[in-house]
């Protein structure tokens, strides 16, 4: 057998979520981390993994407590100017693992790090890894001891790859840690937080305008808080919009501690869904969003693209800002063809698998992490353009839109941004 | 403070070294981890990953696999992969997780061999040593497993041990060495793990001589000498050209590099008129190759002290090291050391 294994969505929909083939269940096979999917399986490898995310608080520094191997790839992040001088390491040896003696060294290490800096950090994040997960380290307690020693907030940041498919995967945990520093303060009805991402939404995202329409004056995202003090003012919000499901538990924490309620809208590329979601959001807030101009702009962008580039066939990957199955549904609804999807079928996105089986039953699904992807042969696939970094890797000679920037596409702006970027890409190729 | 790093990121770990040796040999390589270590190796320490496919996988361990020690699940996953992939052997490479739970690698090897029908190498790396320790273990396991037959010696055939991207910091090191050794009169050059495959390992006994270009190759060279009588020598033919036109006449020099490269640079620097050369290394320091005054580095402040108080005129090493001695006023020559900074030779 030397072919990458795949299934048509029709077959997956027939089988149902509980009876998916084992190739699509990542806990049943070895994991192939292609150059394109590294970030997916390795919580610190690329993109906003735990390490970058843990430094989202302005003025924070991070001490990584781990065997040398876990801190290794931070070299590439450390070269980015915004992370210069913000990562420190306390490496563990075998004796540390056996005796747990490294825990006693942590407060002193935190102190030495703080003393070595010309500007006192706002927070010290302590990043720990699988080893301490297995040792059952009480890192909250270690953080409290370190806090007493340096007189600064010290917070844990769990880079436990072992728990990636558990209830609290690393990227969920890190979001909880990041917002755990917020303290109750007087609420302001005109303040809203956008939770979920570590970089802001696109500047042209209509969500900003729509919120202002209903009287919101301060829209805070952790990535745009210029100072620690401004970050702390996220506690004054009237409500939180949770834009990424990995922030759900953080939002629940905030609701409990600070009494800030939250609403969780989803990122869609289907224009009707975006519209209906704004209506629902308005109803929940007791207001009405006037989104017609944005809806029309997005519709025009789709129509213009379709008239310039009719009959395109796409291959869609998951290493991009969106759900590959939902995006594929949208593309098919807009009149395009999707030949292949490289993705992970989850309980949450199975609804789109079913939808796709109705409108494009022969679209094939490949499991990105499955070992036979080593043999993926792009000659077997018809695609005029690919979306997602992984799809680009599998089709090196096909025009590719990576669509994986830190700055996040969302709502109608995400949709028109996508088609604008595709248009630029294809015109450049032409 | 011991183990605290304020300037340098940790160096390439042992599991990266082990995978680097096995990378081109056509086996299924399983990193026994949850995903993070495989991410480190494939995304950073193995520069060939971007351009050359290899069956390197993560075991995808989850918390209950580790807590319950479910080696049988790992073996089952490996067997499934072996059914679907074309592989001549399999290797399991350790990380901190199996080190903490005390995985029995010999048992794992036996179980996996029985289930897959393939020869299985079990490399007990733990993520707490540096890359050269992993390379050393992988080389030894490879030759012990596959170089079993005593073949007639082929005059003019030379084997090269210790040549990997991590040890040589150069993706073209194998080709360069081959060209250089061919020019010296060798008919056949086998760079084990970088340019030649498993057949070359199996036929290692037919080499007239082995060349050890980094300390990680020494144990395997000793093994081949003991088993087949193959002589070996340590040298790094690529080192001299790294110095370019550097003039060191009458100067004292500190070299920081893997030991074989460091020694080769010392020889060349003394040949160019250096007054004295000290070799220091963050990695293996083999007693048989050291000279009085050579330094094994472990901590950042140790390097700072060595540079600031050693009275050197010139320092050579990866440029990442220079960030620790910004105030020092002597001459610096940057020699990329992939295992230190992740930078390769241009």
């Amino acid at each position: 057998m030397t072919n990458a294994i795949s299934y048509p969505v029709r077959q997956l929909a027939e089988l149902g979520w509980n009876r998916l083939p084992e190739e699509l269940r990542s806990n049943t096979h070895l994991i192939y981390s292609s150059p394109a999917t590294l970030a997916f399986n390795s919580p610190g490898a690329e993109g906003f993994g735990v390490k970058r995310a843990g430094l989202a608080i302005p003025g924070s520094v991070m001490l990584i407590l781990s065997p040398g191997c876990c801190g290794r790839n931070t070299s590439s992040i450390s070269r980015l100017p915004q992370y210069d001088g913000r990562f420190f390491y306390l490496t563990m040896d075998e004796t540390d693992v056996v005796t747990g003696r490294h825990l006693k060294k942590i407060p002193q290490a935190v102190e030495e790090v703080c003393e070595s800096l010309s500007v006192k950090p706002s927070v010290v994040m302590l990043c720990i890894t699988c080893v301490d997960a297995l040792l059952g380290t009480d890192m909250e307690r270690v953080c409290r001891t370190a806090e007493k020693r340096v007189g600064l907030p010290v917070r844990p940041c769990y880079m436990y790859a072992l728990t990636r498919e558990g209830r609290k995967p690393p990227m969920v945990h890190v979001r909880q840690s990041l917002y755990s520093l917020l303290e109750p303060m007087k609420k302001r009805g005109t303040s809203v937080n956008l939770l979920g991402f570590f970089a802001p939404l696109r500047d042209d995202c209509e969500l900003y305008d729509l919120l202002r329409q209903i009287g919101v004056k301060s829209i805070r995202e952790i990535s745009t808080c210029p100072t620690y003090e401004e970050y702390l003012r996220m506690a004054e919000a009237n409500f939180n919009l949770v834009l990424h499901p990995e922030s759900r538990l953080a939002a629940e924490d905030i609701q409990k501690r600070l009494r800030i309620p939250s609403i969780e809208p989803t990122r869609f590329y289907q224009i009707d869904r975006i519209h209906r979601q704004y209506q629902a959001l308005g109803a929940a807030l007791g207001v009405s969003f006037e989104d017609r101009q944005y809806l029309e702009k997005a519709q025009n962008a789709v129509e213009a693209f379709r008239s310039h580039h009719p009959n395109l066939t796409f291959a869609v990957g998951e290493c991009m800002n969106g759900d590959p199955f939902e995006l594929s549904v949208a593309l098919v609804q807009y009149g395009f063809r999707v030949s292949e999807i490289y993705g992970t079928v989850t309980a949450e996105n199975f609804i789109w698998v079913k939808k796709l089986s109705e409108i494009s039953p022969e679209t094939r699904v490949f499991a990105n992490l499955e070992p036979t992807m080593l043999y993926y042969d792009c000659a077997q696939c018809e695609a005029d353009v690919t979306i997602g970094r992984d799809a680009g890797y599998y089709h090196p000679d096909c025009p590719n839109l990576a669509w994986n920037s830190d700055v996040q596409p969302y709502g109608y702006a995400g949709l028109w941004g996508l088609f604008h970027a595709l248009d630029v890409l294809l015109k450049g190729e032409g | 403070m011991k183990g605290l790093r304020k300037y340098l990121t940790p160096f390439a770990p042992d599991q990266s070294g082990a995978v680097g040796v096995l990378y081109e040999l056509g086996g299924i390589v399983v990193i026994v981890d949850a995903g993070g270590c495989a991410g480190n190796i494939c995304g950073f320490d193995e520069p060939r990953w971007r351009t050359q496919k290899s069956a390197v996988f993560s075991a995808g361990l989850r918390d209950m696999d580790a807590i319950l020690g479910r080696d049988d699940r790992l073996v089952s996953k490996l067997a499934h992969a072996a059914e679907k992939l074309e592989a001549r052997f399999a290797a399991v490479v350790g990380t901190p997780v199996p080190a903490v739970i005390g995985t029995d690698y010999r048992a794992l090897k036996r179980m996996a061999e029985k289930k897959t029908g393939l020869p299985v190498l079990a490399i007990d790396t733990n993520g707490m040593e540096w890359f050269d320790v992993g390379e050393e273990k992988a080389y030894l396991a490879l030759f012990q497993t596959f170089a079993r037959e005593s073949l007639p010696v082929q005059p003019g055939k030379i084997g090269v041990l210790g040549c990997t991207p991590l040890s040589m910091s150069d993706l073209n090191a194998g080709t360069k060495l081959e060209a250089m050794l061919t020019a010296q009169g060798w008919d056949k050059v086998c760079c084990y793990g970088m340019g030649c495959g498993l057949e070359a390992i199996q036929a290692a006994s037919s080499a007239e001589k082995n060349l050890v270009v980094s300390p990680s190759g020494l144990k395997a060279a000793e093994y081949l000498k003991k088993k087949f009588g193959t002589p070996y020598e340590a040298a790094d033919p690529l080192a001299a050209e790294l110095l370019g036109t550097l003039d060191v006449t009458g100067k004292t020099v500190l070299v920081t590099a893997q030991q074989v490269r460091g020694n080769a640079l010392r020889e060349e620097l003394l040949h160019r008129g250096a007054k004295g050369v000290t070799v220091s290394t963050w990695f293996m320091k083999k007693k048989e190759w050291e000279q009085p005054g050579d330094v094994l580095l472990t901590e950042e402040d140790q390097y700072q002290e060595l540079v600031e108080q050693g009275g050197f005129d010139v320092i050579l090493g990866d440029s990442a090291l220079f960030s620790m001695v910004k105030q020092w006023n002597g001459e610096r020559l940057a020699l990329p050391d992939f295992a230190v900074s992740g930078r390769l030779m241009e």
Side-chain angles (χ1 to χ4, degrees):
Chain A
M1 170 78 75
T2 51
N3 288 323
I5 294 170
S6 65
Y7 294 89
V9 284
R10 163 185 49 78
Q11 192 179 345
L12 299 180
E14 282 165 10
L15 287 170
W17 159 246
N18 292 324
R19 292 173 55 227
L20 286 177
E22 68 173 31
E23 287 84 3
L24 295 176
R25 287 181 281 131
S26 65
N27 63 336
T28 64
H29 54 72
L30 298 176
I31 304 295
Y32 173 56
S33 295
S34 77
T37 60
L38 273 177
F40 187 82
N41 196 49
S42 175
E46 291 182 340
F48 270 105
V50 171
K51 292 169 187 165
R52 278 181 79 196
L55 286 179
I57 297 175
S60 58
V61 298
M62 179 178 283
L63 178 63
I64 300 175
L65 315 156
S66 69
C69 62
C70 311
R72 168 65 174 162
N73 63 5
T74 318
S75 306
S76 53
I77 309 171
S78 303
R79 284 179 206 151
L80 301 171
Q82 65 268 41
Y83 299 107
D84 186 29
R86 295 180 71 189
F87 283 110
F88 302 87
Y89 311 88
L90 184 59
T91 53
M92 295 164 69
D93 58 24
E94 273 189 291
T95 313
D96 295 324
V97 170
V98 174
T99 64
R101 68 175 179 183
H102 63 292
L103 301 176
K104 290 184 182 161
K105 295 197 284 190
I106 294 170
Q108 189 193 335
V110 172
E111 187 174 45
E112 281 194 33
V113 166
C114 292
E115 281 172 359
S116 72
L117 295 165
S118 53
V119 178
K120 201 163 135 181
S122 58
V123 190
V124 180
M125 301 298 286
L126 291 185
C127 178
I128 58 170
T129 64
C130 300
V131 170
D132 278 291
L134 292 170
L135 294 176
T137 301
D138 181 353
M139 194 44 68
E140 301 282 344
R141 186 175 173 176
V142 174
C143 286
R144 284 197 296 273
T145 314
E147 274 183 351
K148 278 182 197 159
R149 184 137 175 176
V150 295
L152 287 171
V154 179
R155 284 293 182 275
C157 191
Y158 301 101
M159 195 166 68
Y160 291 170
L162 281 169
T163 61
R164 206 180 68 77
E165 283 159 3
R167 187 177 156 268
K168 273 195 192 179
M171 293 311 294
V172 169
H173 230 309
V174 74
R175 285 170 165 95
Q176 286 183 291
S177 274
L178 288 175
Y179 295 108
S180 68
L181 286 162
L182 300 179
E183 295 292 340
M185 66 185 338
K186 193 177 171 199
K187 297 286 169 288
R188 282 169 58 114
T190 55
S191 286
V192 172
N193 297 325
L194 305 184
L195 308 184
F197 300 119
F198 301 102
L201 303 182
R202 293 167 58 104
D203 283 344
D204 63 352
C205 183
E206 73 284 351
L207 181 58
Y208 297 124
D209 293 341
L210 293 174
L211 288 171
R212 285 190 194 103
Q213 261 181 31
I214 60 166
V216 173
K217 290 191 176 125
S218 301
I219 304 167
R220 292 196 175 85
E221 298 164 272
I222 196 166
S223 55
T224 56
C225 291
T227 61
Y228 182 63
E229 290 67 32
E230 183 66 13
Y231 152 79
L232 290 176
R233 291 185 65 191
M234 291 182 89
E236 72 177 25
N238 190 28
F239 63 93
N240 288 326
L241 284 181
V242 181
L243 304 182
H244 193 295
E246 286 178 338
S247 276
R248 196 177 297 150
L249 286 185
E252 286 174 13
D253 284 353
I254 293 174
Q255 183 148 9
K256 272 184 213 152
R257 288 194 311 108
L258 310 178
R259 300 185 186 282
I260 302 175
S262 62
I263 304 170
E264 187 178 329
T266 305
R267 170 158 48 198
F268 291 117
Y269 287 93
Q270 299 165 75
I271 201 162
D272 56 327
R273 291 268 172 181
I274 300 171
H275 176 62
R276 292 210 302 263
Q277 182 162 262
Y278 277 125
Q279 287 178 321
L281 180 61
L285 296 172
V287 296
S288 174
F289 285 117
E290 181 43 67
D291 65 343
R292 187 192 306 264
Q293 60 167 309
Y294 310 106
L295 174 74
E296 284 174 3
K297 185 174 175 184
Q299 277 172 334
N300 292 341
V302 174
E303 194 46 52
F305 181 81
R306 189 166 46 204
S307 64
H308 280 110
H309 312 280
N311 306 318
L312 284 181
T313 298
F314 288 83
V316 179
E318 68 187 328
C319 295
M320 54 98 185
N321 293 320
D323 180 281
F325 298 97
E326 194 277 328
L327 175 57
S328 296
V329 168
L331 290 169
V332 173
Q333 286 176 341
Y334 298 143
F336 303 105
R337 191 171 159 257
V338 176
S339 55
E340 294 186 347
I341 299 171
Y342 318 102
T344 306
V345 182
T346 64
E348 288 74 27
N349 66 23
F350 197 70
I351 183 179
W352 305 122
V353 173
K354 286 203 279 194
K355 179 74 184 169
L356 209 51
S357 75
E358 293 164 12
I359 57 176
S360 177
E362 297 310 314
T363 294
R364 298 196 75 82
V365 178
F366 291 79
N368 250 331
L369 305 176
E370 204 273 328
T372 61
M373 284 307 279
L374 190 64
Y375 298 125
Y376 180 83
D377 179 9
C378 62
Q380 313 273 330
C381 167
E382 185 196 331
D384 302 309
V385 60
T386 61
I387 300 176
R389 190 179 161 206
D390 42 355
Y393 171 73
Y394 296 127
H395 294 263
D397 299 324
C398 188
N400 170 251
L401 181 68
W403 200 240
N404 63 346
S405 63
D406 285 348
V407 171
Q408 294 294 313
Y410 204 86
Y412 296 118
L415 185 55
W416 72 61
L418 173 73
F419 281 105
H420 175 70
L422 283 167
D423 187 49
V424 169
L425 172 78
L426 293 176
K427 281 182 177 159
E429 293 284 332
Chain B
M1 179 179 193
K2 188 172 179 283
L4 181 64
R5 287 169 174 252
K6 297 176 196 161
Y7 300 93
L8 301 174
T9 45
F11 305 141
D14 51 1
Q15 67 246 30
S16 298
V19 174
V21 169
L22 304 172
Y23 192 79
E24 296 184 12
L25 300 179
I28 296 174
V29 179
V30 183
I31 300 159
V32 189
D33 77 325
C37 297
N40 259 314
I41 294 169
C42 300
F44 196 80
D45 278 337
E46 183 44 81
R48 290 169 289 188
W49 186 247
R50 305 269 162 195
T51 53
Q52 194 178 343
K53 284 186 177 178
S54 177
V56 177
F57 303 113
S58 162
L61 296 179
R62 294 297 168 248
D63 46 4
M64 293 313 285
D65 297 327
I67 291 163
L68 301 174
R70 298 195 289 213
D71 289 346
D72 54 329
R73 280 174 63 109
L74 170 58
V75 171
S76 164
K77 287 180 182 180
L78 174 55
H80 270 70
E83 284 167 13
K84 293 174 184 167
L85 307 174
E86 292 166 353
R88 301 179 62 187
F89 70 96
V92 287
V93 176
T95 71
V97 170
V100 170
I101 63 174
T103 295
D104 180 347
Y105 283 97
R106 288 175 65 186
L108 191 58
K109 172 184 159 75
R110 279 199 301 271
M111 283 162 64
E113 281 180 337
K114 198 172 165 190
K115 194 97 176 174
T116 63
L118 293 171
V120 174
L121 311 179
I123 319 281
D124 64 343
T125 41
N126 61 17
M128 288 170 252
E129 307 282 352
W130 299 141
F131 79 99
D132 45 354
V133 176
E135 287 190 352
E136 184 176 78
K137 287 179 177 175
Y139 272 125
L140 200 57
L142 263 179
F143 287 106
Q144 285 174 342
T145 306
F146 294 110
R148 306 186 76 90
E149 198 182 347
S150 188
L151 300 166
V153 171
Q154 240 179 284
K157 178 182 172 186
I158 187 167
V160 180
L161 287 155
C163 178
T164 64
L166 280 165
S167 279
M168 307 305 280
S169 307
D170 186 348
L171 271 177
N172 300 313
T175 348
K176 285 181 185 171
L177 278 168
E178 190 176 344
M180 208 170 256
L181 291 165
T182 305
Q184 286 173 16
W186 293 96
D187 297 329
K188 188 168 173 54
V189 181
C190 294
C191 251
Y192 301 119
M194 204 173 177
C196 67
L198 196 61
E199 296 78 11
I201 306 269
Q202 287 165 326
S205 60
S206 64
E208 186 185 330
K209 182 177 140 178
N210 284 323
L211 181 70
V212 181
V213 297
S214 74
S216 66
L218 180 59
K219 273 196 181 167
E222 284 170 345
Y223 169 79
L224 293 170
K225 185 179 179 189
K226 194 174 168 191
K227 177 107 177 159
F228 304 113
T230 316
Y232 69 86
E233 71 165 315
D236 178 6
L238 303 180
E241 70 180 26
L242 302 176
L243 296 173
T245 55
L246 182 71
D247 180 8
V248 287
T249 311
K251 294 177 178 170
T252 54
V253 186
L254 173 68
V255 176
T256 308
Q258 55 101 336
Q259 196 183 14
V260 175
R261 174 153 290 176
N263 282 345
L265 289 169
R266 168 160 47 206
E267 198 179 319
E268 176 65 17
L269 290 163
L270 290 172
H271 178 69
R272 292 187 187 192
K275 190 171 142 195
V277 181
T278 300
V279 171
S280 64
T281 182
W282 298 97
F283 305 109
M284 285 179 176
K285 185 156 90 58
K286 301 284 186 186
K287 276 198 171 167
E288 49 270 63
W289 295 338
E290 71 182 11
Q291 289 195 13
D294 286 356
V295 180
L296 176 66
L297 296 161
T298 55
E299 305 296 331
E300 289 179 344
D301 49 10
Q302 186 191 2
Y303 179 80
Q304 289 170 318
E305 199 179 310
L306 179 66
V307 172
E308 282 157 11
Q309 295 173 24
F312 300 106
D313 301 304
V314 186
I315 58 173
L316 274 65
D318 190 278
S319 58
L321 305 180
F322 303 157
S323 65
M324 292 190 284
V325 287
K326 283 182 185 156
Q327 309 301 319
W328 184 76
N329 286 323
E331 193 178 346
R332 302 147 197 252
L333 178 67
L335 300 175
D337 191 337
F338 189 68
V340 169
S341 65
R343 290 191 186 92
L344 287 164
M345 302 282 176
E346 294 291 323

